[in-house]
Structures are given as structure tokens and as C-alpha cells.
Amino acid sequence: MIKRRFLQTTAALAAALAFAGAAQAQTAIKFQLDWRFEGPAALFLQSAAKGYYKQAGLDVTIDAGNGSGGTVTRVASGTYDMGFADLAALMEFHANNPDAPNKPVAVMMVYNNTPAAVLALKKSGITKPKDLEGKKLGAPVFDAGRKGFPIFQKANGINNVAWTSMDPPLRETMLVRGDIEAITGFSFTSLLNLEARGVKPEDVVILPYAEHGVKLYGNVIIASPKLIAENPAAVKAFLASFAKGAKEVMANPAATIETVKARDGIINVPLETRRLQLAIDAVVASPDARKEGFGQVVPGRLALMASQVSDAYGTKTRVDPNKVWNGAMLPSKAELDILPPVKK
């Protein structure tokens, strides 16, 4: 009897130690999004909700952001290990902070095309890029579309425009009021913001940068060089886990939007489901993404973007495309085969 109890106690202790060891083995990763918990955040939250990160040995914390520039800065400072940010913002940070010791690096392409677009109301008479000449445009000073507008302007031969600055919540409101004639912003964000202000979709003109001669990449997953150097396996595990969840999101956006509601209980579920679908169609599963392969970049296109950002953003030094991208930790080709079938 004593021997049996001893063996049972020993087995229980061994199991407890094994469990503690497994818990200890979990690598903690602090991850910051580019923006609030809106529809597209489901791409990251699904893997957390389904336990894919934990199954890969990761203890992932996902926080909302307040803009790509802030996400890049916080990963650079070490406050976060990884994040989701506009590649142009990452390039700008590299070129303006050449001596920074911990410049983040892009490790996976998610938005193969920039979501940046010019939006106007049909009553303005604006129907094509050239119509923007002499018009009053509005956007926050840090808006990706505004900062990249010189590239759009050059590609479409647009002469001078006038800019008005405002805080993000006022952008669409000022357009509806007629204070400005057009805005720049992420297409799937500004369109829905306009609808929320009573504008019908058919009364909005959208000029996506990607459809008007601007082949900038959009948002990428970034990682700190410290994490890459010390634990590249953790970065690779995160990317593989993310891809697994993102595939489910793209296959059934409506079913996965609950992961976003779990983080922000006051979201408008139908609206955020639409926002997520718009993002998938426009920039995640775009024709360019299907051509290049999800998660990947084409060196020539990356180099062109680096040159365009250097010029448009007026950076202190030129962007070196070889220093902003590291695809060595990308999952296998099979794991990256996550794009939904082409809609017929």
C-alpha cells in the first residue's frame, strides 16, 4: 500500500514538473497591431483564439495600436517583440535612424498592395486622378496615403494640390461637410467611415493607389533584430501559426469576426465583417499577392519601393531594401498556400 502511494505521488509530481516545464518553455511574444481591434485584426486574433500560438510553444499577447509609425517605434524600443505595420513606415524609420541599434525588420508580407486610396464624393466631379489638380485634399499628417501621395501624384501627372490636416476621426466628417474635396486613407477604412456618416457607397469615388500606377507594398509583420538573433525559431513558429489562422479567416470571415468582438465588445459586427472582407479582397488576396505568393516579396519591386519612399518621404538617408526585409523565417510553401479560391 505504502509502495503504491509512493509511486502515485511520484507520478503526480513528475506530471506536475512536466507541466511546469512545458509552461516554462513557452516563449513570450508581445505583439502590437497597426490600429484598433477592427475587422482585419481577426487575421491575428484567430490563431490566438484557436490556440495555434500556444501549440507552437508561444505565449503571444496581442495589443491594439495607434498607427504604423508607433508600432515600428515600439518594436525598435523593445517594448514589443513583433508587430504589424506599413512597410513604408518601416522604411522611413530605417532611413531616418541609420544608427538606431534595434531597427525592426519585415519578416512576412500580409498586405501585398498598399490599401492607400484617394476618396471623394461623386458630387465633387472627381472621377480620375487628374481631376485632383487644384483641389483641396485632407488627411492626418502621418496618414500613409498622404505621405505616399507624391508617388501617386507623379504616376498620374497631377500638378499642385492643397492639403488640410486634421485628427483621424475628423477626416471623413470634413469631407461630408464639404470642408475638403477629397481625402487619402485606407480604402476599406474610409469607405465604411463615410457610410457611417450617412453617405451611400454608390456616391463615393475610390481611386486605389494600386490601380493607378502605384505598386507599393502594404502592411508587413515586423520583428526586432534581437528576437531574430536570439530565437529565430520563435519567429518562424509565430509566422506559421499566424498563417494557419489567417487561412481560416479568409475562408470564412463572418465566422471569425467574433475574435475581434471578444477584444472589443462594442464593435459593429456586420460592419467589421465587411471591413475584413474588403481588406482580404483588396490587399491580402489581391492579383499581385496571387502572382507573387502570400508572404513573399519580389526583390525588384521592393527596391523600387525603397527608392520611391526615399524620394517621397524625404528621408535623411536612402532606404536600403536589403536591410528592411528578412524572409529567412517564412514557413514552407505549403504552409503559405492560404489564399482563398478566386471568386467566379
Side-chain angles (χ1 to χ4, degrees):
M1 179 73 72
I2 294 174
K3 184 177 180 181
R4 186 184 307 148
R5 285 180 179 172
F6 173 78
L7 291 174
Q8 289 174 339
T9 302
T10 302
L13 180 61
L17 289 173
F19 178 82
Q24 251 184 346
Q26 295 274 318
T27 299
I29 291 182
K30 289 190 65 180
F31 186 94
Q32 184 168 63
L33 297 168
D34 62 328
W35 197 238
R36 297 184 289 257
F37 289 115
E38 296 181 340
L43 292 166
F44 294 92
L45 297 174
Q46 176 72 0
S47 292
K50 294 293 285 289
Y52 296 151
Y53 297 127
K54 284 194 176 298
Q55 291 169 20
L58 306 176
D59 180 15
V60 177
T61 302
I62 301 175
D63 292 334
N66 60 355
S68 289
T71 299
V72 172
T73 300
R74 292 182 191 101
V75 174
S77 70
T79 305
Y80 285 86
D81 305 295
M82 299 181 71
F84 187 50
D86 180 30
L87 181 56
L90 177 67
M91 288 181 168
E92 181 183 28
F93 183 88
H94 270 251
N96 283 340
N97 301 276
D99 300 321
N102 195 47
K103 293 189 287 293
V105 178
V107 292
M108 177 183 274
M109 180 59 60
V110 181
Y111 290 176
N112 187 280
N113 298 96
T114 176
V118 175
L119 295 93
L121 302 182
K122 280 189 178 178
K123 64 183 181 181
S124 69
I126 296 170
T127 61
K128 57 186 183 300
K130 197 71 173 171
D131 294 335
L132 296 170
E133 286 187 356
K135 296 293 193 295
K136 186 185 292 186
L137 275 66
V141 291
F142 57 82
D143 174 68
R146 178 171 177 174
K147 296 185 81 168
F149 187 78
I151 304 171
F152 180 84
Q153 193 170 5
K154 183 178 180 180
N156 294 282
I158 303 168
N159 291 320
N160 63 305
V161 299
W163 283 98
T164 296
S165 301
M166 76 288 289
D167 290 331
L170 292 175
R171 172 174 25 200
E172 291 80 16
T173 298
M174 291 181 69
L175 180 63
V176 174
R177 285 194 321 219
D179 299 330
I180 48 182
E181 295 163 287
I183 59 174
T184 57
F186 279 12
S187 58
F188 49 78
T189 295
S190 286
L191 173 62
L192 297 183
N193 289 346
L194 286 169
E195 287 185 39
R197 287 159 177 76
V199 179
K200 296 178 180 178
E202 58 267 27
D203 292 333
V204 180
V205 176
I206 305 176
L207 304 174
Y209 282 21
E211 294 178 15
H212 292 86
V214 179
K215 289 297 184 181
L216 297 178
Y217 283 114
N219 284 33
V220 291
I221 295 176
I222 63 175
S224 80
K226 182 176 184 294
L227 179 62
I228 292 173
E230 295 177 359
N231 200 343
V235 178
K236 186 169 185 177
F238 179 94
L239 298 180
S241 301
F242 161 76
K244 189 175 180 181
K247 182 175 184 176
E248 295 175 357
V249 173
M250 287 187 275
N252 193 347
T256 57
I257 204 69
E258 287 300 322
T259 63
V260 183
K261 187 172 177 59
R263 297 301 304 267
D264 184 350
I266 64 171
I267 67 164
N268 181 320
V269 171
L271 184 143
E272 294 307 331
T273 302
R274 281 190 61 210
R275 194 191 310 274
L276 174 57
Q277 187 65 66
L278 287 169
I280 292 170
D281 293 342
V283 297
V284 182
S286 67
D288 286 325
R290 294 182 185 281
K291 179 181 176 182
E292 297 177 6
F294 179 80
Q296 313 277 353
V297 300
V298 172
R301 185 178 163 193
L302 182 68
L304 174 60
M305 178 175 175
S307 178
Q308 290 175 323
V309 169
S310 299
D311 293 337
Y313 286 45
T315 55
K316 292 179 182 177
T317 64
R318 303 293 294 179
V319 178
D320 184 345
N322 297 314
K323 292 184 178 179
V324 299
W325 172 259
N326 183 344
M329 289 149 290
L330 283 172
S332 67
K333 186 175 181 180
E335 290 172 299
L336 289 175
D337 183 18
I338 71 172
L339 299 180
V342 178
K343 294 179 180 178
K344 295 182 180 179

